[in-house]
């Protein structure tokens, strides 16, 4: 006979939907810089099927969109309507949707326009926040483009800090080119960004608080943090600094990211799971890439659809 406790662990505490890099645009299909096909019009159909699937569960508490909802090639006079069109699809989900910004969002619209459209809570234009769907868990949404050469006004201190860093780290004329950059230095590209000092202090405070409350933390971020889960060109500029902070606490169990469209998975030296999601944008017509995540006391289970791989993330008990 199975103990009552044994039965209890088979029921998730809660579940949620997950998608990344929709990068919709009303333009013909194209290719990435590396020649990977991109299906700009089809991606919104992937999102529609995702929302339909998530709604059919009727138990998903929320949805997380890991950024880049429209593509940089979207004609600029269509940007605001393209963003609204994708947001409208997300709004069809019967529950809260938590958005974050990616580089492609910022190619289209400045933060001041984008954040209200995405309903991102903001202080001084920053886009990091946290939420707790159940007492046992806390989710942290990082702003990967806090220090960035895109999205802020040209004379903004954060833009100037980003441009200074790029000048120091990337000798190429084209700051989106990793030519001649070696290893982890290849992350210093203009389409990436960094987490600033105030956000680092905020994250430290959140992790302290979560530790006191005995909460498990899931960090979400458009840009990946662990080199073992992604290509070097996709990493957050100061991923090492953010990882060092995360590793000072045992509450962080997983990091979910987008940006590197092929997806990836690793477990780092401190047992934190890093899952980079496959992009909706790269789904050929008729295929999908989205997931449902089931959260337990001792694991997080991503059940992927089609091109999105399943991932079971088990934690060590602290």
């Amino acid at each position: 006979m199975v103990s009552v406790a044994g039965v209890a662990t088979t029921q998730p505490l809660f579940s949620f939907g997950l998608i990344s890099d929709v990068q919709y645009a009303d333009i013909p299909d194209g290719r990435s810089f590396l020649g990977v096909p991109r299906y700009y019009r089809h991606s919104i159909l992937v999102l529609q099927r995702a929302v339909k699937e998530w709604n059919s569960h009727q138990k998903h508490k929320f949805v997380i969109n890991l950024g880049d909802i429209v593509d940089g090639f979207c004609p600029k006079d269509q940007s605001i309507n393209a963003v609204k069109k994708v947001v409208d699809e997300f709004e069809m989900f019967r529950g809260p949707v938590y958005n974050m910004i990616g580089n492609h969002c910022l190619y289209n619209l400045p933060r001041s326009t984008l954040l209200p459209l995405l309903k991102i809570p903001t202080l001084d234009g920053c886009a990091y926040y946290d939420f707790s769907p159940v007492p046992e868990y806390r989710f942290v949404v990082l702003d990967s483009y806090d220090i960035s050469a895109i999205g802020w006004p040209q004379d903004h201190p954060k833009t100037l800090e980003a441009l200074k860093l790029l000048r120091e780290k990337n000798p190429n004329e084209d700051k989106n080119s990793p030519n001649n950059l070696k290893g982890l230095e290849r992350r210093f590209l203009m389409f990436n960004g960094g987490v600033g000092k105030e956000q680092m202090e905020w994250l430290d405070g959140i992790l302290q608080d979560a530790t006191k409350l005995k909460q498990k933390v899931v960090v979400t971020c458009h840009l990946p943090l662990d080199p073992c889960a992604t290509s070097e060109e996709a990493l957050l500029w100061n991923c090492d600094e953010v990882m060092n902070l995360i590793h000072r606490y045992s509450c962080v169990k997983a990091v979910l990211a987008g940006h590197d469209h092929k997806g990836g998975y690793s477990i780092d030296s401190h047992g934190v799971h890093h899952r980079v999601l496959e992009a909706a944008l790269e789904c050929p017509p008729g295929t999908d890439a989205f997931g449902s995540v089931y959260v337990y006391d001792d694991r997080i289970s991503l059940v992927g659809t089609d091109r999105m791989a399943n991932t079971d993330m088990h934690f060590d008990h602290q």
Side-chain angles (χ1 to χ4, degrees):
M1 183 176 149
V2 181
S3 70
V4 174
V7 172
T9 58
T10 62
Q11 282 299 314
L13 296 169
F14 63 97
S15 61
F16 64 94
L18 197 57
I19 196 167
S20 190
D21 298 271
V22 174
Q23 285 182 225
Y24 167 74
D26 187 10
I27 56 174
D29 296 343
R31 289 181 182 275
S32 72
F33 296 116
L34 300 172
V36 180
R38 292 183 161 183
Y39 305 94
Y40 300 108
R41 289 188 178 116
H42 176 254
S43 67
I44 202 163
L45 304 181
V46 177
L47 174 59
Q48 285 169 354
R49 291 193 289 265
V51 171
K52 192 175 171 193
E53 169 79 15
W54 296 329
N55 277 335
S56 74
H57 279 275
Q58 292 167 342
K59 283 187 179 167
H60 282 346
K61 266 193 173 307
F62 55 89
V63 161
I64 294 179
N65 152 42
L66 283 159
D68 276 1
I69 65 171
V70 289
D71 194 83
F73 283 129
C74 177
K76 295 303 158 269
D77 59 342
Q78 293 176 26
S79 290
I80 199 149
N81 285 336
V83 169
K84 283 179 176 167
K85 186 172 175 178
V86 182
V87 166
D88 286 348
E89 294 300 338
F90 273 110
E91 303 253 301
M92 299 299 283
F93 173 69
R94 294 194 283 270
V97 176
Y98 295 102
N99 288 297
M100 64 199 76
I101 50 176
N103 50 312
H104 282 266
C105 309
L106 297 171
Y107 297 149
N108 279 277
L109 295 170
R111 282 171 175 263
S112 52
T113 309
L114 196 59
L115 300 189
L117 284 173
L118 297 177
K119 298 188 170 62
I120 293 175
T122 178
L123 185 69
D124 299 331
C126 292
Y128 53 87
Y129 59 99
D130 71 306
F131 63 97
S132 178
V134 297
E136 300 92 327
Y137 271 86
R138 171 100 57 114
F139 283 71
V140 171
V141 179
L142 294 182
D143 182 346
S144 315
Y145 292 87
D146 182 8
I147 306 300
S148 168
I150 45 178
W152 297 105
Q154 281 305 292
D155 57 352
H156 196 284
K158 288 176 184 281
T159 310
L160 301 176
E161 187 180 337
L163 291 171
K164 180 173 180 282
L165 183 72
L166 285 169
R167 274 197 304 275
E168 288 167 5
K169 298 287 190 181
N170 187 333
N172 297 314
E173 183 80 20
D174 174 8
K175 298 300 180 194
N176 273 327
S177 167
N179 283 351
N180 305 315
L181 297 178
K182 297 280 182 282
L184 293 178
E185 296 294 300
R186 295 173 73 83
R187 71 187 188 273
F188 292 107
L189 304 171
M190 197 184 260
F191 58 66
N192 295 333
V195 167
K197 186 169 175 285
E198 292 88 356
Q199 188 177 176
M200 288 295 289
E201 287 165 2
W202 170 83
L203 177 60
D204 193 18
I206 293 286
L207 299 182
Q208 279 178 40
D209 191 48
T211 302
K212 279 196 205 100
L213 296 170
K214 296 188 164 48
Q215 290 175 319
K216 296 178 175 72
V217 175
V218 177
V219 172
T220 66
C221 187
H222 182 65
L223 295 175
L225 302 181
D226 184 22
C228 296
T230 188
S231 53
E232 290 134 344
E233 295 87 349
L235 288 161
L236 185 82
W237 287 342
N238 56 335
C239 54
D240 45 355
E241 194 187 349
V242 176
M243 291 273 273
N244 287 342
L245 174 58
I246 284 172
H247 288 159
R248 282 177 26 209
Y249 298 89
S250 59
C251 56
V252 179
K253 301 303 177 189
V255 177
L256 303 174
H259 193 56
D260 193 12
H261 294 179
K262 66 183 181 299
Y265 174 62
S266 67
I267 304 174
D268 71 26
S269 57
H270 286 62
V272 178
H273 297 262
H274 294 260
R275 183 66 170 87
V276 180
L277 293 193
E278 294 80 1
L281 173 68
E282 292 185 0
C283 292
T287 65
D288 287 316
F290 58 86
S292 287
V293 182
Y294 299 88
V295 182
Y296 303 82
D297 186 49
D298 62 344
R299 70 191 188 281
I300 293 174
S301 185
L302 166 62
V303 178
T305 302
D306 207 359
R307 292 168 62 88
M308 188 171 288
N310 294 343
T311 312
D312 262 322
M313 300 171 250
H314 290 262
F315 321 135
D316 297 329
H317 277 293
Q318 297 301 334

